[in-house]
Amino acid sequence: VHEKWTSWYVLQCLLCATPNLTRHQQRLLEGLQNSEELIVLPSDKNLGPCIIERTKYIQATLDHLSDAATYERLDPNDALQSIIGVEQNIIKFLGEYHHSISKDDNTFLWRSLEVQDKFSYFYITAKVHKTPWKPRPITSTAGSITHGLGRWVDQELKPIVKKLPSYIRSSAHLLERFKAINYDPSNVSFFSCDAVSMYTNIDTAHALEVLHPFFRTSPLCAGCQADALTVALEILMRQNVFKFGDTFWRQKSGTAMGTPPGANYAELYYGTWEIDFADYFRTSLALYCRYIDDGIGLWIHHPDPHIDQLNFAALQATMNSFGSLEWEFTALSKTIDFMDVRLTITPTGIKSTLYEKPMNLYLYLPPLSAHAPGVLRGLIIGMTKRIYALTTELPEREQALRRLFLRLRNRGYDPVILKPLFQLAILKAHSKRATATDSDDDEKRCFLHLTYHPQDPSSQSIQKIFRKTLLKPPGEPALPDLCSFKGARLETNRMIVAY
């Protein structure tokens, strides 16, 4: 296949999403779907699908796995023995620590061992924003022997991570933290820092050495199962055995991106160091936050520019003196792009607006896609809420809403359908009522999972039948009052149709 034709013309046909594909475009898409020479893979940072020759994909992946310091290739017999050893270690862990784990978690962990294929699978996404592009390695543990244990560890780490002083969950949360502090806008600047290949550069021995005493002694970890957590992390991080095609590998160092606790493990590992150094630099840091491998700080300048420069260099040296991690820093500036927000220090405080990556293709679902009508409504309401949360100035907010409207028009949506949805979204964004994420503790939900089809009964019709025949049938007991054969009340009082 001609490389120029492949990388440009076919890609444009794939992404055009016009309401009616031409016969030529349909043939191209069918050929792409059935091609043995090409692979479609996602790009990093949600920048859209990519197409690459299969041989180049395999070569890029094997080149990454050839790093002998990080990966070790296994022959099939050794790989099989290794994965059996992992299973035995998990069984041993469950036997030793079953008293430290809840009954429900024990049941889940034992059931998670009932898998046909015990191996994780390795693949890459494309960092197309890099020149030249680079692979982003991911090890998918879904359906593997370690997936259940990874889910349990992630569940245990999450509440600890949320207590870290540097923790932020989103750009909106970062803005909330900026609003909660006092600072002189004329005497502060932003900086950001980015960890170089954070996942693979975390030294496993050092991480476990740091985390075990932290689990035991830190007030943030009160009530956690320190010994069980440490042993589980030892299994997950030291025994990551996976497949790529017909080859088998073991990760010798770092943590695999894709394993359930990977993000929280990385966040907590470096968070233990931040607790120590943040206090030392308290006179220079008005605020310091981090989202996994991306950090941001509000720097208080020293009156002497020379001392100020030395202090900032000392912070960088301190952050780079923990384990094997290396951080790259931006210069101090009054304006910075961080995650999906652009921040600017003005005489009256910090102003924010959306930061949108130049390569973003905005591939929203086209109107002919067979999705429930509520998907478009939810997209517009969610995006509008995000725009209101991340923009402080009205003109920029209106421009962001206008761009969203035009992008949906370019995907083929009728303005007659879009306008009332935008009006509703703006009304909801102005409203002070509880958001959809605020859960009702009195609700006991059940979920009806369906594959959506446009000709099926609507969700409203299904809900009406549910209320009439199950929830409160005439002359019959209500569903929440029914009991199981063991005498436990069902309590279910709401059904959610989940497409």
Side-chain angles (χ1 to χ4, degrees):
V1 181
H2 192 279
E3 185 171 354
K4 183 176 180 181
W5 184 84
T6 299
S7 59
W8 176 248
Y9 188 63
V10 176
L11 182 59
Q12 292 304 307
C13 290
L14 176 71
L15 303 182
C16 66
T18 53
N20 297 295
L21 293 176
T22 66
R23 186 176 301 174
H24 183 48
Q25 290 170 331
Q26 287 177 340
R27 285 202 303 268
L28 286 172
L29 290 175
E30 290 171 0
L32 182 62
Q33 182 177 1
N34 300 324
S35 173
E36 295 183 359
E37 292 83 20
L38 304 174
I39 285 181
V40 179
L41 67 155
S43 62
D44 190 33
K45 299 186 183 297
N46 197 30
L47 294 179
C50 306
I51 304 174
I52 188 173
E53 290 87 345
R54 185 179 297 269
T55 53
K56 291 184 179 180
Y57 174 88
I58 294 172
Q59 188 61 54
T61 307
L62 292 176
D63 286 346
H64 176 84
L65 291 172
S66 65
D67 178 6
T70 306
Y71 302 102
E72 173 190 7
R73 185 167 180 176
L74 305 174
D75 66 49
N77 289 331
D78 288 343
L80 181 60
Q81 293 303 313
S82 295
I83 204 69
I84 291 173
V86 174
E87 182 178 27
Q88 292 172 345
N89 286 335
I90 296 175
I91 292 172
K92 181 180 178 182
F93 165 81
L94 293 175
E96 291 181 359
Y97 294 102
H98 70 278
H99 293 301
S100 305
I101 302 172
S102 71
K103 181 180 178 182
D104 287 343
D105 287 349
N106 263 300
T107 301
F108 168 75
L109 288 169
W110 278 108
R111 287 177 177 173
S112 71
L113 299 179
E114 300 170 3
V115 292
Q116 292 182 342
D117 189 351
K118 297 178 172 61
F119 289 95
S120 302
Y121 281 81
F122 188 88
Y123 66 96
I124 61 171
T125 60
K127 294 183 179 182
V128 295
H129 56 288
K130 302 286 187 181
T131 305
W133 77 275
K134 296 180 180 179
R136 186 178 188 88
I138 299 176
T139 305
S140 173
T141 64
S144 72
I145 199 72
T146 59
H147 184 69
L149 185 63
R151 290 274 300 276
W152 178 80
V153 170
D154 190 49
Q155 168 191 278
E156 298 301 305
L157 293 182
K158 196 169 295 183
I160 303 173
V161 167
K162 289 181 178 180
K163 298 175 187 176
L164 290 172
S166 61
Y167 171 78
I168 52 171
R169 62 181 177 272
S170 63
S171 298
H173 186 204
L174 174 64
L175 296 180
E176 291 174 10
R177 296 202 59 181
F178 277 128
K179 291 177 182 177
I181 61 172
N182 296 317
Y183 57 92
D184 177 6
S186 65
N187 193 42
V188 293
S189 293
F190 291 118
F191 72 88
S192 67
C193 52
D194 178 39
V196 178
S197 301
M198 185 178 201
Y199 284 75
T200 53
N201 283 331
I202 293 178
D203 183 275
T204 302
H206 184 247
L208 296 175
E209 179 185 340
V210 166
L211 288 175
H212 189 220
F214 183 79
F215 289 146
R216 282 180 168 273
T217 60
S218 173
L220 305 184
C221 305
C224 85
Q225 306 300 325
D227 293 340
L229 263 178
T230 304
V231 173
L233 281 171
E234 179 98 22
I235 294 172
L236 294 172
M237 300 305 163
R238 291 193 184 278
Q239 302 178 52
N240 178 28
V241 181
F242 57 86
K243 293 172 70 173
F244 173 67
D246 59 355
T247 63
F248 298 85
W249 304 80
R250 177 190 291 115
Q251 186 161 348
K252 296 164 61 177
S253 67
T255 181
M257 185 176 298
T259 189
N264 284 317
Y265 166 76
E267 186 122 35
L268 185 60
Y269 164 65
Y270 197 75
T272 62
W273 180 234
E274 289 167 337
I275 292 173
D276 291 338
F277 76 70
D279 187 59
Y280 181 78
F281 289 96
R282 64 184 180 277
T283 58
S284 298
L285 286 173
L287 182 68
Y288 169 80
C289 299
R290 181 172 53 86
Y291 186 81
I292 309 177
D293 59 351
D294 292 310
I296 185 171
L298 190 61
W299 183 261
I300 304 172
H301 290 287
H302 191 277
D304 185 330
H306 178 66
I307 296 177
D308 187 56
Q309 190 175 21
L310 291 176
N311 288 343
F312 189 52
L315 172 68
Q316 296 179 55
T318 301
M319 290 187 65
N320 280 314
S321 62
F322 186 72
S324 304
L325 290 181
E326 179 184 347
W327 295 82
E328 295 178 341
F329 290 77
T330 62
L332 295 171
S333 172
K334 293 292 184 180
T335 299
I336 197 168
D337 297 331
F338 184 75
M339 295 171 64
D340 58 348
V341 66
R342 174 166 289 168
L343 303 169
T344 303
I345 299 172
T346 70
T348 58
I350 294 174
K351 305 300 181 184
S352 64
T353 187
L354 292 182
Y355 170 66
E356 298 173 323
K357 296 178 177 63
M359 296 183 69
N360 197 328
L361 299 176
Y362 305 103
L363 300 179
Y364 304 124
L365 289 171
L368 293 184
S369 178
H371 283 77
V375 172
L376 178 63
R377 179 178 182 271
L379 168 68
I380 294 173
I381 290 174
M383 293 294 289
T384 302
K385 179 182 175 183
R386 171 174 169 264
I387 290 170
Y388 269 74
L390 299 184
T391 54
T392 52
E393 301 297 321
L394 180 60
E396 293 173 342
R397 184 176 298 165
E398 290 176 343
Q399 288 177 13
L401 287 168
R402 189 175 292 111
R403 288 195 299 269
L404 175 62
F405 183 88
L406 292 175
R407 286 163 184 161
L408 289 170
R409 286 285 292 116
N410 290 336
R411 294 297 279 174
Y413 287 98
D414 190 327
V416 175
I417 295 174
L418 293 177
K419 286 180 180 179
L421 292 176
F422 270 82
Q423 291 168 350
L424 173 65
I426 293 171
L427 183 64
K428 282 182 171 291
H430 280 291
S431 173
K432 295 183 179 180
R433 293 177 298 176
T435 64
T437 55
D438 295 331
S439 60
D440 187 345
D441 292 336
D442 295 330
E443 287 186 353
K444 303 293 183 182
R445 305 181 183 94
C446 66
F447 292 84
L448 176 62
H449 292 273
L450 296 175
T451 299
Y452 177 76
H453 192 287
Q455 295 178 358
D456 282 346
S458 66
S459 60
Q460 291 88 344
S461 301
I462 297 172
Q463 291 282 12
K464 185 176 180 180
I465 295 170
F466 168 74
R467 289 191 293 269
K468 183 178 179 180
T469 62
L470 282 175
L471 186 60
K472 295 180 180 179
E476 299 288 342
L479 181 63
D481 299 328
L482 294 180
C483 296
S484 71
F485 70 96
K486 290 187 177 181
R489 291 179 68 243
L490 295 187
E491 297 186 344
T492 302
N493 55 20
R494 183 184 175 192
M495 182 183 71
I496 293 178
V497 180
Y499 287 113

